[in-house]
Amino acid sequence: MNVSSKICAVIDYGMGNLHSAHGALQAVAPETQVIVTGDPHIIRQADHVVLPGVGAIRDCMAEIIRQEVDEVVREVMRTKPLLGICIGMQAMMDRSEENGGVDCMGLFPGQVKFFGNDLEENGERLKVPHMGWNTVGQLGHPLWKGIPDQSRFYFVHSYYVQAENPNHVKGLGHYGVDFAAAVGEDNVFAVQFHPEKSHNAGLALLKNFLHWDGAA
Amino acid sequence: MALAKRIIPCLDVDQGRVVKGVNFVGIRDAGDPVEIAKRYNDQGADEITFLDITASHEERDTTVHMVEAIAEQVFIPLTVGGGIRELADIRKMLNAGADKVSINSAAVYNPEFVREASQKFGAQCIVVAIDAKQVGDNHWEIFTHGGRKPTGINAVEWAVKMAEYGAGEILLTSMDRDGVKSGFDLGVTKAISAAVNIPVIASGGVGNLDHLVDGVKLGGADAVLAASIFHFGEYTVQQAKEHMAAAGIEMRL
């Protein structure tokens, strides 16, 4: 029997702080070897892969393409569980409005749109970025296992995902408009919020991911 | 269901210890930052902010190690402020595990720093801290050096400018109220919250739980920050959140 520990690769493409994602993944699965890496060989060998991301989409996509992360991600998405977080999720869509319009990886059909500067709800102005703890309506997926529906997760974003195929939406968010808080298909799952910053609900989701075999 | 208002316990840190000054003098020692951060995390704090009041640059590495230790155990957003003067300071704190940095006097001396920082690291991690004092009717001015040095800058106009420069959030502290427990300065909180389209954190003056409610309901704050009411065990964060929820405010309970 193979007793070697499983590997989770957190893809590092130079877009800043991956400490939190690494720390949270490691905390929920001490037996897993969580590696922050940009090395395609390690990413290909990993059992689970996380595509995080912070900052602006133009820089993110530029680095993703420059470091050929998109090729590795396309490969990984056919073979093993892949989790996109925040900009990592947005980078999986067709195109983002941010930075004057940026083409993304196109793993899911859909657009990334700006909340706008005049967002409101019931006459109350909503500030942008959408920053803080908001509820997510869960749509059947194994990664929600054990997490109460409408649990709050921590969001920080000014752009939101509008998925073209409603079957891809696995979590519903609402902030002035409805948006996809989570999308998924087959062994790919992606979330707009930061599970690594979402206390118990977020840790539970990460734990579910690391125990997921990729079967939806 | 809507976006929850946030409660942010604030830890003033000097060389790796949590302290809290009253009107920025008369410091009392309140304990180990890792322990306190964990306690607040367990109590349901929505974020934690550290204000590093360590005097010298060299000793500030203690803070970096402290942030590293906390980030390993606390999985909610962490903000670090105090002594953030250059892009290298920001990178250091973010690499240590901070999610946001708060820029105070460096923004006053060089507003372009905020723009650069926001472009480099993203607006989501740039908080601009504003220390304001009332100097007339509906007129508040920015002060630096712990409230000692006037700048002549109008606080509301400054907040608008900082939002334009790429701040993702404003941390507004009333220097008249800080440590005196008579409640937030609701006038300046309301004025700034109405003037900018980014979240505003109200700070300075919390003495009881109704003050937190007022900060949101009357001041229009998106988040409320408090230190001593939590540090000395008067209230838990959970009690504060329940009190705010009972007052009809959307909270994460």
Side-chain angles (χ1 to χ4, degrees):
Chain A
M1 192 180 146
N2 184 2
V3 292
S4 68
S5 65
K6 288 195 170 181
I7 293 173
C8 172
V10 179
I11 303 181
D12 180 5
Y13 50 99
M15 288 307 294
N17 174 26
L18 303 177
H19 188 102
S20 315
H22 174 269
L25 287 158
Q26 195 64 80
V28 296
E31 72 286 0
T32 298
Q33 209 184 331
V34 182
I35 305 171
V36 175
T37 180
D39 183 343
H41 301 289
I42 299 176
I43 297 167
R44 286 191 182 98
Q45 279 168 22
D47 301 280
H48 292 82
V49 176
V50 177
L51 181 69
V54 289
I57 194 75
R58 185 179 48 209
D59 295 350
C60 270
M61 278 314 302
E63 284 307 298
I64 281 175
I65 289 162
R66 194 179 67 81
Q67 300 185 37
E68 298 176 1
V69 165
D70 54 332
E71 285 176 26
V72 184
V73 166
R74 276 173 220 284
E75 233 181 279
V76 160
M77 70 175 283
R78 290 194 293 268
T79 53
K80 57 189 80 179
L82 169 67
L83 176 67
I85 297 176
C86 194
I87 302 284
M89 172 190 185
Q90 297 186 356
M92 291 179 176
M93 308 311 290
D94 283 329
R95 189 173 166 81
S96 171
E97 277 182 7
E98 193 176 4
N99 305 127
V102 173
D103 284 329
C104 302
M105 288 190 283
L107 311 186
F108 290 97
Q111 305 289 317
V112 183
K113 303 179 87 77
F114 185 40
F115 276 119
N117 284 320
D118 44 12
L119 194 66
E120 59 166 55
E121 183 113 48
N122 305 326
E124 191 194 336
R125 186 176 53 130
L126 299 179
K127 296 185 172 181
V128 175
H130 172 220
M131 182 186 285
W133 299 79
N134 211 336
T135 55
V136 174
Q138 301 173 7
L139 297 166
H141 195 279
L143 291 200
W144 298 122
K145 193 184 149 202
I147 304 168
D149 191 21
Q150 300 294 336
S151 287
R152 290 183 185 275
F153 292 87
Y154 188 81
F155 289 86
V156 188
H157 60 128
S158 299
Y159 293 79
Y160 65 93
V161 167
Q162 211 173 48
E164 221 164 80
N165 183 345
N167 295 328
H168 288 158
V169 180
K170 301 300 177 192
L172 286 174
H174 183 82
Y175 189 63
V177 293
D178 289 325
F179 66 91
V183 292
E185 186 181 36
D186 300 330
N187 46 308
V188 184
F189 196 80
V191 291
Q192 178 62 67
F193 52 82
H194 288 272
E196 76 280 14
K197 286 289 154 187
S198 297
H199 201 215
N200 293 341
L203 295 178
L205 186 129
L206 293 177
K207 192 167 183 177
N208 287 341
F209 172 69
L210 290 177
H211 289 95
W212 186 40
D213 61 3
Chain B
M1 298 293 242
L3 181 65
K5 302 296 179 187
R6 291 168 280 153
I7 290 194
I8 308 175
C10 176
L11 284 62
D12 287 10
V13 175
D14 185 12
Q15 296 177 52
R17 291 291 291 179
V18 175
V19 293
K20 178 62 195 176
V22 177
N23 280 333
F24 290 84
V25 290
I27 286 170
R28 280 167 80 183
D29 192 63
D32 173 52
V34 181
E35 253 173 53
I36 293 175
K38 275 174 73 178
R39 194 198 308 156
Y40 293 151
N41 178 56
D42 294 342
Q43 288 177 5
D46 296 310
E47 296 185 23
I48 298 178
T49 289
F50 304 90
L51 289 183
D52 186 2
I53 57 170
T54 307
S56 83
H57 211 70
E58 299 75 52
E59 287 165 336
R60 209 162 279 133
D61 279 342
T62 321
T63 310
V64 173
H65 297 311
M66 178 203 82
V67 172
E68 280 170 357
I70 292 168
E72 270 170 27
Q73 303 181 47
V74 174
F75 302 107
I76 56 174
L78 307 175
T79 301
V80 182
I84 303 289
R85 296 196 179 88
E86 26 187 296
L87 295 177
D89 298 327
I90 300 177
R91 182 173 290 114
K92 200 186 262 186
M93 288 305 176
L94 295 180
N95 284 341
D99 299 285
K100 312 178 196 178
V101 293
S102 160
I103 302 173
N104 192 337
S105 14
V108 176
Y109 300 134
N110 176 19
E112 284 300 324
F113 176 52
V114 172
R115 202 194 295 275
E116 283 168 28
S118 181
Q119 278 168 3
K120 183 87 191 160
F121 302 103
Q124 82 290 336
C125 68
I126 305 300
V127 182
V128 169
I130 295 180
D131 292 344
K133 256 188 194 180
Q134 185 154 18
V135 292
D137 279 351
N138 286 313
H139 187 205
W140 297 269
E141 192 177 316
I142 306 281
F143 279 69
T144 59
H145 295 79
R148 293 188 306 273
K149 206 172 159 189
T151 63
I153 301 169
N154 178 300
V156 179
E157 287 166 13
W158 179 248
V160 171
K161 180 171 171 177
M162 287 297 96
E164 279 166 10
Y165 275 49
E169 206 173 17
I170 299 285
L171 167 53
L172 170 65
T173 302
S174 161
M175 302 307 287
D176 306 303
R177 303 298 180 98
D178 201 72
V180 300
K181 294 182 165 260
S182 59
F184 297 120
D185 182 332
L186 297 172
V188 71
T189 307
K190 198 172 175 180
I192 288 182
S193 192
V196 298
N197 197 37
I198 54 175
V200 173
I201 305 164
S203 156
V206 175
N208 62 50
L209 301 184
D210 286 331
H211 292 154
L212 301 175
V213 172
D214 291 346
V216 172
K217 287 198 142 180
L218 304 177
D222 301 280
V224 287
L225 181 141
S228 49
I229 62 162
F230 299 130
H231 297 336
F232 299 106
E234 285 168 66
Y235 303 101
T236 64
V237 176
Q238 187 63 32
Q239 282 171 328
K241 293 178 97 172
E242 282 164 6
H243 187 83
M244 291 174 77
I249 298 171
E250 192 85 25
M251 301 298 295
R252 177 181 69 108
L253 294 172

